[in-house]
Amino acid sequence: MIVNCPDCNKPLIEFDIGSGNYHCANPKCNFQYIEIMSGKQHRKSITVEETGSEFDSLDRKPKRILVGLAIESSLLNMGHSIFDKVTSKLREDYDASVFDCLDNPQYLKRILDRNFNKNVGEVVVKSIKTVLGEFAYYESVREFLHHLAEEN
Ligand SMILES: [Zn+2]
């Protein structure tokens, strides 16, 4: 299914196949994402003006999903055993999932540091960076990548 941005007319990208949330990857475009199921549209400036203090949580939600999916796909590329280990450690140690990692990059970092050799951790971080590279114009994504790359 191809959905074009109502503002800039570029094809929208679905966050996760089947999620029904399509976002515009054009950094100059004001359009953020559309929820296909409800038809609800989210725009950068309108979100800020109309929702005021709710802006942060609304604005961060799609980025949590984005970062979570980037982590998932990077882990899966490394193999199912690594994926299983990291996701179960997130749950056991922090009662968290990959979707909590935007707000808590240290969770993922600690799990990688403690449970895998340095090379594995580096490859995972590099892969996440590659996947998220085109979204680094979002400050929250940039911050996440920055924290992930920090030395202990
Ligand atoms: Zn657009």
Side-chain angles (χ1 to χ4, degrees), residues 3-37:
V3 185
N4 287 319
C5 176
D7 292 9
C8 71
N9 212 31
K10 291 216 166 78
L12 297 180
I13 300 165
E14 192 171 18
F15 275 127
D16 186 18
I17 303 305
S19 71
N21 291 337
Y22 289 76
H23 80 106
C24 180
N26 176 2
K28 292 191 192 91
C29 182
N30 222 22
F31 192 77
Q32 257 184 324
Y33 69 105
I34 182 167
E35 297 168 37
I36 290 293
M37 305 303 171

Side-chain angles (χ1 to χ4, degrees), residues 93-112:
D93 295 353
Y94 304 107
D95 194 23
S97 77
V98 291
F99 301 106
D100 298 307
C101 290
L102 174 68
D103 298 314
N104 305 284
Q106 73 278 13
Y107 291 177
L108 180 65
K109 206 168 147 49
R110 279 184 206 142
I111 289 170
L112 290 173

